[in-house]
Amino acid sequence: NLKNTMLRSVLSYLQLSRNWMLHNESTQLVNDDHPRRPILFFLLCIVSSCVYVVALQYQWLLSGAMYAEMGTNYFPKANDPSLYENLFATDAGYIPLPPRMIALLGSLLNLPASIIPYFYSGSAIVLAAVMVSTFCLRPFRILIQNDALRFLTAITIAMVADFETRTFINFSYFSAFFIATITALAFVEKNREVPWWSWFIPLLILSKPAILATLPAMVITAMVSNRRFRNITIVSTVLGCLQIIQLFISQSNQSTIFPASDNTLLLKVTATIEYFLGFIGKIGLGPFFHKLPVSTSIYIGLVLFSLMILLILWRRKAPGILALIGLTLIFFQSMINVFAMNVSWNQDLFHLQH
C-alpha cells in the first residue's frame, strides 16, 4: 500500500531526525541528585508569582470588581440551567473551557456574588503560576539539568507578562508555555512517559484560539513520542478541530472577533513571514528599541532566526528542541492572527509598530 509505505518513510525520517538532533545528548546521564529540590523550586515559583501579582495590582484585585467579561459573560453563563451553556458557551466566537469550568465550580459551591470576583481572579492567578512553575519539576531536567536555571526561566515567564494576561478571561494564554515544555519533553524523552498531569493539555487546547498554535509541534512530536503523549495529542487535535469549526460557525454568524478578509493567499503568507521575523527581532531587541522601523525589526529577526537555527544544528542538544518549539509557536501564532484577523493583521504590519 503506497500510503502505508509513505507513512512509514515519514516516521522513519522523523526518528532519524530526532536521533540526529539529540546526538550530543545520547551519552550524557541526567543528573538525579537532590530529588526534592525541584519540588521546592516549583512551590517557590508559585508563591513568588502570586505574591508579585498581588503586590503589583493589589488595588484592582482587592477591590472586588469584575474584570471585563467576568461579569457580563462568565458569571451569568455559570448560573444558566443548561450544562452545555455552563461549559461550552462562546466568548467572542470561541469556546473558553478552562474559565468556564472555574465559573461553574463557583456556581456549584454556591459562593456569594460578592466573593465571585475574588474566586475568579484568585483561581486565574494561581493556575497561571502553576502552569509556568511545572517547568521547575524533576521530569524537565532532561531539557535543562540545572534546577536553578529552570526556576529562573519559569519565574521570568511568570513575571514579564502584563496584568491583563493574568486576568480570569486571559490566564489560559500561559498554557502555551505549559504545552510547549511538555511537547519538548515528549520529543527528547525516549524511555519514560510524560507526567500524568500532561492530560490537562486537551482542556487547555479548548481555550484561547492562540493556543491552537501549539498543535503542529505536538503532532510532529507525537509521531516519535511514547504512547501517553500520542494519545494526548489525538484528543487535543480533535478538540482543536472542534474549536476551529466553532470559529468558522461564529464567523459565518458574525459573532466572532475574526472578521473576514478578501486579501489573497500570497499576501497572507507574506504577512505571516514578516510578522514572524518581526516578532523575533522585537523579542531579541527587548523594550528599549521599540521605536525602530518595522523593516529593521524584520531584518534583525532574520539574522537572529538564522543564528538560532545554526546554533541549534551545531549544538544538537535538548535545549535546542525547546527553542525550536518556541519558534514554531511564534510562527503559527503569527499565521493564526494573519489568516483569522487579516483585516488588522495584514501587510501594513500595524502590530509591529507598537
Side-chain angles (χ1 to χ4, degrees), residues 271-286 294 296-302 304-305 308 326-327 329-338 345 349-354:
T272 296
I273 295 172
E274 289 176 331
Y275 268 115
F276 169 63
L277 296 175
F279 281 131
I280 293 175
K282 281 188 169 292
I283 293 170
L285 291 172
V294 171
T296 303
S297 297
I298 294 174
Y299 291 138
I300 292 173
L302 178 60
L304 292 177
F305 173 72
M308 287 180 68
L327 290 174
L329 290 184
I330 298 173
F331 178 81
F332 285 105
Q333 179 56 65
S334 300
M335 177 180 288
I336 289 172
N337 289 339
V338 169
W345 291 75
L349 305 177
F350 172 80
H351 295 279
L352 288 177
Q353 301 171 24
H354 299 81

Side-chain angles (χ1 to χ4, degrees), residues 201-234:
I201 288 177
L203 297 179
L204 298 169
I205 288 290
L206 203 59
S207 57
K208 292 287 185 180
I211 309 304
L212 296 173
T214 61
L215 280 176
M218 287 184 65
V219 171
I220 293 173
T221 298
M223 295 180 182
V224 296
S225 71
N226 294 320
R227 178 176 297 178
R228 179 178 291 167
F229 188 80
R230 286 202 303 270
N231 292 337
I232 290 171
T233 301
I234 291 171

Side-chain angles (χ1 to χ4, degrees), residues 244-281:
I244 293 171
I245 292 170
Q246 178 58 58
L247 289 170
F248 276 112
I249 293 173
S250 298
Q251 188 178 61
S252 64
N253 295 333
Q254 297 184 339
S255 59
T256 176
I257 56 174
F258 306 136
S261 168
D262 57 359
N263 281 333
T264 65
L265 177 62
L266 179 60
L267 288 176
K268 291 179 180 179
V269 171
T270 303
T272 296
I273 295 172
E274 289 176 331
Y275 268 115
F276 169 63
L277 296 175
F279 281 131
I280 293 175

Side-chain angles (χ1 to χ4, degrees), residues 308-323:
M308 287 180 68
I309 296 298
L310 289 174
L311 183 61
I312 291 168
L313 296 179
W314 175 53
R315 295 285 293 173
R316 290 196 283 170
K317 290 194 172 185
I321 302 301
L322 192 58

